[in-house]
Amino acid sequence: MNPSRKSALLLIMLALALPTVMVLSVGTGPVAIAPLDIICIFLDRLGITDSQVSDQTRLIVESIRLPRTLMGIMIGGSLAIAGAAMQGLFRNPLADPSIIGVSSGAALGAGIGIVLGSALFAGFSSPLLMDYSVSLLAFGGGVLTTLIVYKMGTTSNGTSVATMLLAGVAISALAGAGMGILNYIADDATLRSLTFWQMGSIGGANWNSVLLCFTLLGPVIFLLCRYGLVLNAMLLGESEARHLGIDVQKTKLKLILVTAMAVGVSVSVAGIIGFVGLVVPHLIRLLAGPDHKTLLPASAMLGGILLLAADMIARTTVAPAELPIGIVTALMGAPFFMSLLWQQRKRIA
């Protein structure tokens, strides 16, 4: 099949699969809801029909399941497209959004908010600030980490990818030490909250967090999708990209900052969710090839689908309890990551 037709077919299939998985996600949980009832509720809200769905079902769909599903789509899509962008920028198929330490920095910021938030914000009377203190500190930690790593890797001669990677490793180690200190000083209740937050979850989704995700992550996904041709050129090497008229230095800065926003916002609202940014771009490459014009939008859609699938597994495996979604994505992604390393080992051998 012609590569362009193959790519178009993949995008169409993902575009059709995404709403299907959305309906399944909204219907999955301790109280099963039929897809027809879900569709009727949506049509009722649009004023098209007036069905006799019970008030309890409407409440579950509109106040619990739908916000959770929409937030899962945005977070999964953002992590996946950020991973695809990082792999293209670093020309490393094993890269993911946490490669420059953004996830670790955001996690440390959130940990500070969970353990020390009441003391840090004791003088503020704004309930809104208190409610979003963890998210604000997580986002700030991710951005601060990005700026530090970028500053360490940038000289008058340009930005060194290798130096940035090493700086990311160092920052991650420092953030890990900081999280260890927070675990040590936290009381039992706070330690439990911190531990569960580190495992990742979208169970706390509400319409405010959905609005936050769409406001901040929506533009990130749209912006990254426009970098397809640029990342294709970057795969040829920085000197070749410069000959094609691309401002490599500015492109690196923009992609790193946008990726930091994607990861920082995602970590701030859902905790640490690993392997989505690593696994999804590889799956798309296996299906459609390395063209970033297809890879980026397809990764965003498949990332949302994969995270919703992981969330459905998390909700049903130990029902009525719920597994942290970070555990599920790790169980799904780690074997895939190991298979990639094994294939690379065989090529070297």
Side-chain angles (χ1 to χ4, degrees):
M1 185 184 293
N2 184 285
S4 60
R5 292 184 61 185
K6 187 176 180 181
S7 299
L9 180 61
L10 176 64
L11 291 173
I12 292 172
M13 290 176 63
L14 289 172
L16 294 174
L18 185 57
T20 303
V21 177
M22 281 181 62
V23 173
L24 291 174
S25 175
V26 173
T28 301
V31 178
I33 300 174
L36 183 59
D37 288 342
I38 297 169
I39 295 172
C40 287
I41 291 172
F42 291 159
L43 294 177
D44 290 349
R45 279 296 179 183
L46 294 174
I48 298 174
T49 61
D50 186 16
S51 58
Q52 301 301 314
V53 181
S54 68
D55 292 339
Q56 181 187 11
T57 301
R58 291 180 187 275
L59 180 64
I60 292 172
V61 169
E62 295 178 354
S63 300
I64 301 174
R65 302 269 181 87
L66 186 56
R68 181 173 185 151
T69 297
L70 292 175
M71 194 169 83
I73 290 172
M74 294 305 299
I75 291 175
S78 299
L79 292 175
I81 197 172
M86 285 293 97
Q87 290 172 12
L89 178 63
F90 292 123
R91 299 188 297 279
N92 185 343
L94 299 180
D96 79 338
S98 63
I99 193 170
I100 55 174
V102 184
S103 295
S104 300
L108 180 59
I112 292 172
I114 293 171
V115 178
L116 304 174
S118 57
L120 291 175
F121 295 97
F124 296 90
S125 58
S126 172
L128 186 65
L129 183 61
M130 293 299 295
D131 290 342
Y132 289 97
S133 60
V134 174
S135 297
L136 290 171
L137 287 169
F139 180 68
V143 172
L144 181 61
T145 299
T146 302
L147 294 176
I148 292 173
V149 170
Y150 183 78
K151 187 67 175 177
M152 292 179 69
T154 303
T155 65
S156 57
N157 296 323
T159 302
S160 170
V161 172
T163 303
M164 285 189 63
L165 295 179
L166 292 173
V169 171
I171 291 293
S172 296
L174 285 173
M179 289 298 291
I181 293 172
L182 292 173
N183 285 325
Y184 181 76
I185 65 176
D187 57 38
D188 290 344
T190 306
L191 181 59
R192 182 177 177 82
S193 299
L194 182 60
T195 301
F196 275 99
W197 182 89
Q198 287 178 279
M199 295 179 185
S201 174
I202 58 175
N206 53 48
W207 285 111
N208 288 332
S209 58
V210 170
L211 179 61
L212 177 69
C213 287
F214 271 85
T215 302
L216 297 178
L217 297 181
V220 166
I221 294 174
F222 175 76
L223 183 61
L224 286 176
C225 283
R226 300 182 62 188
Y227 275 85
L229 290 174
V230 173
L231 286 170
N232 284 343
M234 294 286 285
L235 289 177
L236 302 173
E238 292 187 12
S239 58
E240 288 79 2
R242 289 191 184 93
H243 287 307
L244 292 173
I246 296 172
D247 189 335
V248 174
Q249 191 69 14
K250 184 180 290 186
T251 299
K252 284 182 181 179
L253 178 59
K254 286 182 178 179
L255 285 174
I256 289 168
L257 290 177
V258 171
T259 300
M261 174 172 282
V263 177
V265 172
S266 299
V267 170
S268 71
V269 297
I272 300 175
I273 299 175
F275 288 101
V276 175
L278 173 66
V279 171
V280 172
H282 276 285
L283 290 175
I284 298 298
R285 286 192 190 92
L286 292 174
L287 294 172
D291 185 357
H292 283 85
K293 289 188 295 181
T294 301
L295 180 62
L296 292 171
S299 293
M301 287 188 282
L302 185 58
I305 292 171
L306 181 66
L307 196 63
L308 289 184
D311 185 47
M312 285 188 281
I313 293 172
R315 277 185 265 169
T316 56
T317 302
V318 292
E322 184 176 310
L323 279 175
I325 196 171
I327 294 177
V328 179
T329 57
L331 289 173
M332 295 168 63
F336 185 82
F337 184 69
M338 292 171 67
S339 70
L340 291 177
L341 293 176
W342 183 258
Q343 291 174 9
Q344 190 176 58
R345 176 180 177 274
K346 289 196 295 185
R347 290 195 196 99
I348 295 174

